[in-house]
Amino acid sequence: MDSASDIPSRVGADRPVIRLRPKGNVRAIRHGFPWVYADELVLDRRTTGLAPGTIARLEDAERRPLGTAALTPASRIAARLLDRDPEAVIDRAWLADRIGRALALRERLYPAPFYRLVHAEGDGLPGLVIDRFGDAAVIQPNAAWADRLLGEIVAALVEVTGARTVVKNGQGRARAAEGLPEETVVLEGSADAPVPVEMNRATYMADLTGGQKTGLYYDQRDNHAFAARLVAERADARVLDVFSHVGGFSLAALAAGAGHALAVDGSEPALALAAQGAEATGVADRFEARREDAFRALGALGDEGARFDLVVCDPPAFVPSKQALEQGLRAYERVARLAAPLVAPGGFLVLCSCSHAADLARFRTACGRGIGRAGRRGQLIQTGFAGPDHPSLPELGETAYLKALTFRLDG
């Protein structure tokens, strides 16, 4: 990993200049849009010869400064605006200031240090995600500049939060788009055991190095809470949590007083963590895990005539790109069609999507179609999104990648 001193052209006169084409969207950038697409940028031999992650001065076609940007010449997003000051010094102090601002917001929102600390563009750190787990943190440097400045990011993070353990999670499609390798590395401290995380009166176990994403889905916190309210203090309530991961919805429901929960997932390690969470929450006697393909499990439960007061399906992203939209929407419809018959009359069905490329309207239509094809009729009573520790920029348009639709089904 390069140190800050190894990174060329970071500040001052040595900083390279990158320039918009005449038809580049200057107004959008001046109004806060944080990206420059490849077809908007002059990508001549000099610019394409710069290393991915190079910090540069961004100018419009008339050579008027627009700010300080990070360049990735081979990416569709060729440049990411870091600061509107064209002379901004992107160093440890700058990073500590941005992380400090993000921390101040989270400390107003949550009583304990368990949350998404940095949410990329929404916190002025494009392509960088940091989840906090007490005195541990997991960093996802999903842009070349963040990967290149990782040492300075870690130092700033430790300075601001006092983190003792820092893990780099270098997995996912976003890194591939930036030409970055996949790797998971413990950079500071140790991460030998799952970290207990208390949320919504439940205790979840987060595997910071071997789990999905950063180990826990903080974005579903508020949706877990809403679903749990639907079965709270009901000792006879039965909950089905499909694509359960570490038991997000099922543990919250049990902690709220539901009588029984069945968690279904294809991952044995995830279900083992869910079982540990149930034990730590004190609800192990009401928790059951079933390792099986989710679609097969839904079909089998339907054949068995099983019925639940609350059914939740929180699948992985079925629409990873616009090219997969129609196929993915059919998958969401299939989930709804298989899940709806399992809901007891007057019960609730929660259907989730974490697909950026499937907007809310299309997702809602697919879910409604699936419910109808199952011979059920549903009232949409709640539309949930990611929590306030996942801020977004209005300039980016619809960024509600996470959508959670709650239906009350008739008899």
PDB file of all heavy atoms in Angstrom, residues 22-52:
ATOM      1  N   PRO A  22     -16.243  20.327 -23.732  1.00  0.00           N
ATOM      2  CA  PRO A  22     -17.161  21.468 -23.844  1.00  0.00           C
ATOM      3  C   PRO A  22     -18.604  21.138 -23.478  1.00  0.00           C
ATOM      4  O   PRO A  22     -19.339  22.011 -22.997  1.00  0.00           O
ATOM      5  CB  PRO A  22     -17.032  21.855 -25.327  1.00  0.00           C
ATOM      6  CG  PRO A  22     -15.636  21.436 -25.687  1.00  0.00           C
ATOM      7  CD  PRO A  22     -15.402  20.168 -24.925  1.00  0.00           C
ATOM      8  N   LYS A  23     -19.022  19.892 -23.685  1.00  0.00           N
ATOM      9  CA  LYS A  23     -20.395  19.524 -23.387  1.00  0.00           C
ATOM     10  C   LYS A  23     -20.536  18.895 -21.993  1.00  0.00           C
ATOM     11  O   LYS A  23     -21.585  18.360 -21.655  1.00  0.00           O
ATOM     12  CB  LYS A  23     -20.927  18.560 -24.444  1.00  0.00           C
ATOM     13  CG  LYS A  23     -21.076  19.210 -25.818  1.00  0.00           C
ATOM     14  CD  LYS A  23     -21.738  18.258 -26.813  1.00  0.00           C
ATOM     15  CE  LYS A  23     -21.914  18.945 -28.171  1.00  0.00           C
ATOM     16  NZ  LYS A  23     -22.554  18.039 -29.171  1.00  0.00           N
ATOM     17  N   GLY A  24     -19.497  18.953 -21.178  1.00  0.00           N
ATOM     18  CA  GLY A  24     -19.586  18.442 -19.815  1.00  0.00           C
ATOM     19  C   GLY A  24     -20.597  19.222 -18.988  1.00  0.00           C
ATOM     20  O   GLY A  24     -20.811  20.418 -19.208  1.00  0.00           O
ATOM     21  N   ASN A  25     -21.207  18.558 -18.039  1.00  0.00           N
ATOM     22  CA  ASN A  25     -22.293  19.165 -17.263  1.00  0.00           C
ATOM     23  C   ASN A  25     -21.722  20.029 -16.136  1.00  0.00           C
ATOM     24  O   ASN A  25     -21.729  19.643 -14.964  1.00  0.00           O
ATOM     25  CB  ASN A  25     -23.220  18.085 -16.707  1.00  0.00           C
ATOM     26  CG  ASN A  25     -24.562  18.647 -16.285  1.00  0.00           C
ATOM     27  OD1 ASN A  25     -24.708  19.848 -16.084  1.00  0.00           O
ATOM     28  ND2 ASN A  25     -25.543  17.783 -16.142  1.00  0.00           N
ATOM     29  N   VAL A  26     -21.240  21.201 -16.501  1.00  0.00           N
ATOM     30  CA  VAL A  26     -20.600  22.088 -15.534  1.00  0.00           C
ATOM     31  C   VAL A  26     -21.595  22.529 -14.474  1.00  0.00           C
ATOM     32  O   VAL A  26     -21.282  22.574 -13.279  1.00  0.00           O
ATOM     33  CB  VAL A  26     -20.005  23.316 -16.253  1.00  0.00           C
ATOM     34  CG1 VAL A  26     -19.423  24.289 -15.231  1.00  0.00           C
ATOM     35  CG2 VAL A  26     -18.936  22.884 -17.236  1.00  0.00           C
ATOM     36  N   ARG A  27     -22.810  22.856 -14.883  1.00  0.00           N
ATOM     37  CA  ARG A  27     -23.800  23.361 -13.931  1.00  0.00           C
ATOM     38  C   ARG A  27     -24.077  22.329 -12.845  1.00  0.00           C
ATOM     39  O   ARG A  27     -24.148  22.679 -11.656  1.00  0.00           O
ATOM     40  CB  ARG A  27     -25.096  23.706 -14.660  1.00  0.00           C
ATOM     41  CG  ARG A  27     -26.182  24.224 -13.730  1.00  0.00           C
ATOM     42  CD  ARG A  27     -27.438  24.595 -14.494  1.00  0.00           C
ATOM     43  NE  ARG A  27     -27.182  25.718 -15.401  1.00  0.00           N
ATOM     44  CZ  ARG A  27     -28.111  26.251 -16.177  1.00  0.00           C
ATOM     45  NH1 ARG A  27     -29.346  25.767 -16.181  1.00  0.00           N
ATOM     46  NH2 ARG A  27     -27.813  27.279 -16.962  1.00  0.00           N
ATOM     47  N   ALA A  28     -24.224  21.064 -13.220  1.00  0.00           N
ATOM     48  CA  ALA A  28     -24.505  20.023 -12.227  1.00  0.00           C
ATOM     49  C   ALA A  28     -23.373  19.921 -11.218  1.00  0.00           C
ATOM     50  O   ALA A  28     -23.602  19.806 -10.005  1.00  0.00           O
ATOM     51  CB  ALA A  28     -24.738  18.680 -12.920  1.00  0.00           C
ATOM     52  N   ILE A  29     -22.144  19.975 -11.698  1.00  0.00           N
ATOM     53  CA  ILE A  29     -20.997  19.873 -10.794  1.00  0.00           C
ATOM     54  C   ILE A  29     -20.943  21.086  -9.864  1.00  0.00           C
ATOM     55  O   ILE A  29     -20.714  20.944  -8.658  1.00  0.00           O
ATOM     56  CB  ILE A  29     -19.698  19.738 -11.605  1.00  0.00           C
ATOM     57  CG1 ILE A  29     -19.699  18.392 -12.354  1.00  0.00           C
ATOM     58  CG2 ILE A  29     -18.478  19.846 -10.696  1.00  0.00           C
ATOM     59  CD1 ILE A  29     -18.568  18.255 -13.341  1.00  0.00           C
ATOM     60  N   ARG A  30     -21.193  22.263 -10.391  1.00  0.00           N
ATOM     61  CA  ARG A  30     -21.189  23.459  -9.533  1.00  0.00           C
ATOM     62  C   ARG A  30     -22.315  23.409  -8.507  1.00  0.00           C
ATOM     63  O   ARG A  30     -22.212  24.000  -7.430  1.00  0.00           O
ATOM     64  CB  ARG A  30     -21.312  24.711 -10.394  1.00  0.00           C
ATOM     65  CG  ARG A  30     -20.078  25.003 -11.222  1.00  0.00           C
ATOM     66  CD  ARG A  30     -20.064  26.437 -11.707  1.00  0.00           C
ATOM     67  NE  ARG A  30     -18.950  26.692 -12.612  1.00  0.00           N
ATOM     68  CZ  ARG A  30     -17.696  26.937 -12.226  1.00  0.00           C
ATOM     69  NH1 ARG A  30     -17.405  26.949 -10.944  1.00  0.00           N
ATOM     70  NH2 ARG A  30     -16.751  27.169 -13.124  1.00  0.00           N
ATOM     71  N   HIS A  31     -23.381  22.690  -8.811  1.00  0.00           N
ATOM     72  CA  HIS A  31     -24.512  22.588  -7.892  1.00  0.00           C
ATOM     73  C   HIS A  31     -24.412  21.381  -6.956  1.00  0.00           C
ATOM     74  O   HIS A  31     -25.354  21.090  -6.228  1.00  0.00           O
ATOM     75  CB  HIS A  31     -25.823  22.529  -8.680  1.00  0.00           C
ATOM     76  CG  HIS A  31     -26.176  23.822  -9.334  1.00  0.00           C
ATOM     77  ND1 HIS A  31     -27.259  23.968 -10.165  1.00  0.00           N
ATOM     78  CD2 HIS A  31     -25.581  25.049  -9.279  1.00  0.00           C
ATOM     79  CE1 HIS A  31     -27.329  25.218 -10.600  1.00  0.00           C
ATOM     80  NE2 HIS A  31     -26.313  25.892 -10.072  1.00  0.00           N
ATOM     81  N   GLY A  32     -23.288  20.658  -7.005  1.00  0.00           N
ATOM     82  CA  GLY A  32     -23.065  19.610  -6.026  1.00  0.00           C
ATOM     83  C   GLY A  32     -22.989  18.198  -6.547  1.00  0.00           C
ATOM     84  O   GLY A  32     -22.762  17.264  -5.768  1.00  0.00           O
ATOM     85  N   PHE A  33     -23.190  17.983  -7.866  1.00  0.00           N
ATOM     86  CA  PHE A  33     -23.090  16.626  -8.391  1.00  0.00           C
ATOM     87  C   PHE A  33     -21.644  16.164  -8.248  1.00  0.00           C
ATOM     88  O   PHE A  33     -20.719  16.860  -8.688  1.00  0.00           O
ATOM     89  CB  PHE A  33     -23.529  16.583  -9.856  1.00  0.00           C
ATOM     90  CG  PHE A  33     -23.759  15.196 -10.378  1.00  0.00           C
ATOM     91  CD1 PHE A  33     -24.917  14.506 -10.069  1.00  0.00           C
ATOM     92  CD2 PHE A  33     -22.806  14.567 -11.158  1.00  0.00           C
ATOM     93  CE1 PHE A  33     -25.133  13.221 -10.539  1.00  0.00           C
ATOM     94  CE2 PHE A  33     -23.009  13.284 -11.633  1.00  0.00           C
ATOM     95  CZ  PHE A  33     -24.174  12.611 -11.323  1.00  0.00           C
ATOM     96  N   PRO A  34     -21.404  14.974  -7.644  1.00  0.00           N
ATOM     97  CA  PRO A  34     -20.035  14.621  -7.264  1.00  0.00           C
ATOM     98  C   PRO A  34     -19.252  13.810  -8.294  1.00  0.00           C
ATOM     99  O   PRO A  34     -18.099  13.471  -8.038  1.00  0.00           O
ATOM    100  CB  PRO A  34     -20.261  13.780  -6.001  1.00  0.00           C
ATOM    101  CG  PRO A  34     -21.560  13.071  -6.272  1.00  0.00           C
ATOM    102  CD  PRO A  34     -22.397  14.043  -7.067  1.00  0.00           C
ATOM    103  N   TRP A  35     -19.855  13.474  -9.420  1.00  0.00           N
ATOM    104  CA  TRP A  35     -19.205  12.591 -10.377  1.00  0.00           C
ATOM    105  C   TRP A  35     -18.989  13.269 -11.720  1.00  0.00           C
ATOM    106  O   TRP A  35     -19.795  14.096 -12.147  1.00  0.00           O
ATOM    107  CB  TRP A  35     -20.046  11.336 -10.632  1.00  0.00           C
ATOM    108  CG  TRP A  35     -20.320  10.486  -9.434  1.00  0.00           C
ATOM    109  CD1 TRP A  35     -19.611  10.445  -8.263  1.00  0.00           C
ATOM    110  CD2 TRP A  35     -21.386   9.543  -9.293  1.00  0.00           C
ATOM    111  NE1 TRP A  35     -20.169   9.538  -7.398  1.00  0.00           N
ATOM    112  CE2 TRP A  35     -21.256   8.971  -7.996  1.00  0.00           C
ATOM    113  CE3 TRP A  35     -22.427   9.132 -10.113  1.00  0.00           C
ATOM    114  CZ2 TRP A  35     -22.144   7.999  -7.529  1.00  0.00           C
ATOM    115  CZ3 TRP A  35     -23.307   8.165  -9.651  1.00  0.00           C
ATOM    116  CH2 TRP A  35     -23.164   7.603  -8.371  1.00  0.00           C
ATOM    117  N   VAL A  36     -17.912  12.848 -12.392  1.00  0.00           N
ATOM    118  CA  VAL A  36     -17.688  13.205 -13.787  1.00  0.00           C
ATOM    119  C   VAL A  36     -17.576  11.900 -14.562  1.00  0.00           C
ATOM    120  O   VAL A  36     -16.696  11.074 -14.275  1.00  0.00           O
ATOM    121  CB  VAL A  36     -16.394  14.038 -13.963  1.00  0.00           C
ATOM    122  CG1 VAL A  36     -16.178  14.361 -15.435  1.00  0.00           C
ATOM    123  CG2 VAL A  36     -16.458  15.315 -13.133  1.00  0.00           C
ATOM    124  N   TYR A  37     -18.470  11.724 -15.516  1.00  0.00           N
ATOM    125  CA  TYR A  37     -18.458  10.490 -16.298  1.00  0.00           C
ATOM    126  C   TYR A  37     -17.375  10.556 -17.372  1.00  0.00           C
ATOM    127  O   TYR A  37     -16.931  11.640 -17.784  1.00  0.00           O
ATOM    128  CB  TYR A  37     -19.827  10.249 -16.933  1.00  0.00           C
ATOM    129  CG  TYR A  37     -20.915   9.986 -15.914  1.00  0.00           C
ATOM    130  CD1 TYR A  37     -21.889  10.949 -15.654  1.00  0.00           C
ATOM    131  CD2 TYR A  37     -20.951   8.795 -15.201  1.00  0.00           C
ATOM    132  CE1 TYR A  37     -22.894  10.716 -14.716  1.00  0.00           C
ATOM    133  CE2 TYR A  37     -21.941   8.555 -14.258  1.00  0.00           C
ATOM    134  CZ  TYR A  37     -22.906   9.517 -14.027  1.00  0.00           C
ATOM    135  OH  TYR A  37     -23.877   9.284 -13.087  1.00  0.00           O
ATOM    136  N   ALA A  38     -16.969   9.385 -17.825  1.00  0.00           N
ATOM    137  CA  ALA A  38     -15.849   9.300 -18.767  1.00  0.00           C
ATOM    138  C   ALA A  38     -16.102  10.088 -20.048  1.00  0.00           C
ATOM    139  O   ALA A  38     -15.176  10.703 -20.596  1.00  0.00           O
ATOM    140  CB  ALA A  38     -15.557   7.835 -19.085  1.00  0.00           C
ATOM    141  N   ASP A  39     -17.348  10.104 -20.519  1.00  0.00           N
ATOM    142  CA  ASP A  39     -17.618  10.820 -21.770  1.00  0.00           C
ATOM    143  C   ASP A  39     -17.703  12.339 -21.575  1.00  0.00           C
ATOM    144  O   ASP A  39     -17.883  13.073 -22.543  1.00  0.00           O
ATOM    145  CB  ASP A  39     -18.896  10.302 -22.430  1.00  0.00           C
ATOM    146  CG  ASP A  39     -20.136  10.454 -21.561  1.00  0.00           C
ATOM    147  OD1 ASP A  39     -20.020  10.981 -20.434  1.00  0.00           O
ATOM    148  OD2 ASP A  39     -21.219  10.029 -21.996  1.00  0.00           O
ATOM    149  N   GLU A  40     -17.571  12.818 -20.341  1.00  0.00           N
ATOM    150  CA  GLU A  40     -17.567  14.255 -20.061  1.00  0.00           C
ATOM    151  C   GLU A  40     -16.155  14.803 -19.876  1.00  0.00           C
ATOM    152  O   GLU A  40     -15.963  16.021 -19.824  1.00  0.00           O
ATOM    153  CB  GLU A  40     -18.356  14.562 -18.784  1.00  0.00           C
ATOM    154  CG  GLU A  40     -19.824  14.221 -18.825  1.00  0.00           C
ATOM    155  CD  GLU A  40     -20.505  14.582 -17.515  1.00  0.00           C
ATOM    156  OE1 GLU A  40     -20.180  13.958 -16.488  1.00  0.00           O
ATOM    157  OE2 GLU A  40     -21.339  15.497 -17.536  1.00  0.00           O
ATOM    158  N   LEU A  41     -15.185  13.910 -19.753  1.00  0.00           N
ATOM    159  CA  LEU A  41     -13.833  14.312 -19.394  1.00  0.00           C
ATOM    160  C   LEU A  41     -12.900  14.163 -20.602  1.00  0.00           C
ATOM    161  O   LEU A  41     -13.033  13.231 -21.397  1.00  0.00           O
ATOM    162  CB  LEU A  41     -13.328  13.442 -18.250  1.00  0.00           C
ATOM    163  CG  LEU A  41     -12.135  13.943 -17.450  1.00  0.00           C
ATOM    164  CD1 LEU A  41     -12.501  15.204 -16.674  1.00  0.00           C
ATOM    165  CD2 LEU A  41     -11.661  12.855 -16.480  1.00  0.00           C
ATOM    166  N   VAL A  42     -11.973  15.091 -20.735  1.00  0.00           N
ATOM    167  CA  VAL A  42     -10.944  14.972 -21.766  1.00  0.00           C
ATOM    168  C   VAL A  42      -9.991  13.863 -21.341  1.00  0.00           C
ATOM    169  O   VAL A  42      -9.224  14.019 -20.381  1.00  0.00           O
ATOM    170  CB  VAL A  42     -10.181  16.296 -21.942  1.00  0.00           C
ATOM    171  CG1 VAL A  42      -9.034  16.112 -22.936  1.00  0.00           C
ATOM    172  CG2 VAL A  42     -11.120  17.399 -22.411  1.00  0.00           C
ATOM    173  N   LEU A  43     -10.044  12.755 -22.035  1.00  0.00           N
ATOM    174  CA  LEU A  43      -9.202  11.609 -21.689  1.00  0.00           C
ATOM    175  C   LEU A  43      -8.129  11.453 -22.762  1.00  0.00           C
ATOM    176  O   LEU A  43      -8.137  10.526 -23.580  1.00  0.00           O
ATOM    177  CB  LEU A  43     -10.061  10.346 -21.558  1.00  0.00           C
ATOM    178  CG  LEU A  43     -11.002  10.324 -20.357  1.00  0.00           C
ATOM    179  CD1 LEU A  43     -11.920   9.113 -20.383  1.00  0.00           C
ATOM    180  CD2 LEU A  43     -10.212  10.342 -19.056  1.00  0.00           C
ATOM    181  N   ASP A  44      -7.192  12.402 -22.775  1.00  0.00           N
ATOM    182  CA  ASP A  44      -6.081  12.334 -23.721  1.00  0.00           C
ATOM    183  C   ASP A  44      -4.986  11.439 -23.175  1.00  0.00           C
ATOM    184  O   ASP A  44      -5.128  10.837 -22.100  1.00  0.00           O
ATOM    185  CB  ASP A  44      -5.563  13.746 -24.013  1.00  0.00           C
ATOM    186  CG  ASP A  44      -5.202  14.511 -22.740  1.00  0.00           C
ATOM    187  OD1 ASP A  44      -5.061  13.870 -21.674  1.00  0.00           O
ATOM    188  OD2 ASP A  44      -5.077  15.749 -22.800  1.00  0.00           O
ATOM    189  N   ARG A  45      -3.892  11.351 -23.899  1.00  0.00           N
ATOM    190  CA  ARG A  45      -2.809  10.447 -23.495  1.00  0.00           C
ATOM    191  C   ARG A  45      -2.251  10.833 -22.126  1.00  0.00           C
ATOM    192  O   ARG A  45      -1.934   9.979 -21.307  1.00  0.00           O
ATOM    193  CB  ARG A  45      -1.700  10.480 -24.547  1.00  0.00           C
ATOM    194  CG  ARG A  45      -0.543   9.529 -24.231  1.00  0.00           C
ATOM    195  CD  ARG A  45       0.514   9.596 -25.310  1.00  0.00           C
ATOM    196  NE  ARG A  45      -0.028   9.215 -26.614  1.00  0.00           N
ATOM    197  CZ  ARG A  45       0.690   9.218 -27.745  1.00  0.00           C
ATOM    198  NH1 ARG A  45       1.967   9.599 -27.715  1.00  0.00           N
ATOM    199  NH2 ARG A  45       0.138   8.867 -28.885  1.00  0.00           N
ATOM    200  N   ARG A  46      -2.159  12.142 -21.868  1.00  0.00           N
ATOM    201  CA  ARG A  46      -1.624  12.588 -20.575  1.00  0.00           C
ATOM    202  C   ARG A  46      -2.541  12.173 -19.431  1.00  0.00           C
ATOM    203  O   ARG A  46      -2.087  11.644 -18.408  1.00  0.00           O
ATOM    204  CB  ARG A  46      -1.468  14.118 -20.590  1.00  0.00           C
ATOM    205  CG  ARG A  46      -0.980  14.704 -19.259  1.00  0.00           C
ATOM    206  CD  ARG A  46      -1.118  16.213 -19.261  1.00  0.00           C
ATOM    207  NE  ARG A  46      -2.497  16.628 -19.415  1.00  0.00           N
ATOM    208  CZ  ARG A  46      -3.363  16.703 -18.403  1.00  0.00           C
ATOM    209  NH1 ARG A  46      -2.997  16.393 -17.173  1.00  0.00           N
ATOM    210  NH2 ARG A  46      -4.608  17.081 -18.619  1.00  0.00           N
ATOM    211  N   THR A  47      -3.844  12.365 -19.605  1.00  0.00           N
ATOM    212  CA  THR A  47      -4.788  12.052 -18.530  1.00  0.00           C
ATOM    213  C   THR A  47      -4.884  10.556 -18.303  1.00  0.00           C
ATOM    214  O   THR A  47      -4.876  10.085 -17.163  1.00  0.00           O
ATOM    215  CB  THR A  47      -6.178  12.635 -18.865  1.00  0.00           C
ATOM    216  OG1 THR A  47      -6.051  14.048 -19.058  1.00  0.00           O
ATOM    217  CG2 THR A  47      -7.162  12.364 -17.737  1.00  0.00           C
ATOM    218  N   THR A  48      -4.979   9.783 -19.377  1.00  0.00           N
ATOM    219  CA  THR A  48      -5.094   8.330 -19.224  1.00  0.00           C
ATOM    220  C   THR A  48      -3.804   7.713 -18.699  1.00  0.00           C
ATOM    221  O   THR A  48      -3.812   6.594 -18.192  1.00  0.00           O
ATOM    222  CB  THR A  48      -5.472   7.677 -20.562  1.00  0.00           C
ATOM    223  OG1 THR A  48      -4.507   8.032 -21.568  1.00  0.00           O
ATOM    224  CG2 THR A  48      -6.860   8.121 -21.006  1.00  0.00           C
ATOM    225  N   GLY A  49      -2.702   8.464 -18.792  1.00  0.00           N
ATOM    226  CA  GLY A  49      -1.445   7.961 -18.252  1.00  0.00           C
ATOM    227  C   GLY A  49      -1.301   8.170 -16.756  1.00  0.00           C
ATOM    228  O   GLY A  49      -0.366   7.627 -16.134  1.00  0.00           O
ATOM    229  N   LEU A  50      -2.217   8.933 -16.153  1.00  0.00           N
ATOM    230  CA  LEU A  50      -2.162   9.143 -14.705  1.00  0.00           C
ATOM    231  C   LEU A  50      -2.644   7.894 -13.968  1.00  0.00           C
ATOM    232  O   LEU A  50      -3.556   7.199 -14.427  1.00  0.00           O
ATOM    233  CB  LEU A  50      -3.025  10.338 -14.315  1.00  0.00           C
ATOM    234  CG  LEU A  50      -2.566  11.701 -14.848  1.00  0.00           C
ATOM    235  CD1 LEU A  50      -3.609  12.768 -14.558  1.00  0.00           C
ATOM    236  CD2 LEU A  50      -1.213  12.087 -14.244  1.00  0.00           C
ATOM    237  N   ALA A  51      -2.064   7.642 -12.838  1.00  0.00           N
ATOM    238  CA  ALA A  51      -2.415   6.443 -12.068  1.00  0.00           C
ATOM    239  C   ALA A  51      -3.821   6.568 -11.488  1.00  0.00           C
ATOM    240  O   ALA A  51      -4.230   7.662 -11.070  1.00  0.00           O
ATOM    241  CB  ALA A  51      -1.412   6.235 -10.940  1.00  0.00           C
ATOM    242  N   PRO A  52      -4.575   5.470 -11.450  1.00  0.00           N
ATOM    243  CA  PRO A  52      -5.889   5.504 -10.794  1.00  0.00           C
ATOM    244  C   PRO A  52      -5.759   5.991  -9.355  1.00  0.00           C
ATOM    245  O   PRO A  52      -4.866   5.565  -8.629  1.00  0.00           O
ATOM    246  CB  PRO A  52      -6.343   4.040 -10.855  1.00  0.00           C
ATOM    247  CG  PRO A  52      -5.605   3.455 -12.006  1.00  0.00           C
ATOM    248  CD  PRO A  52      -4.270   4.143 -12.014  1.00  0.00           C
TER     249      PRO A  52
END
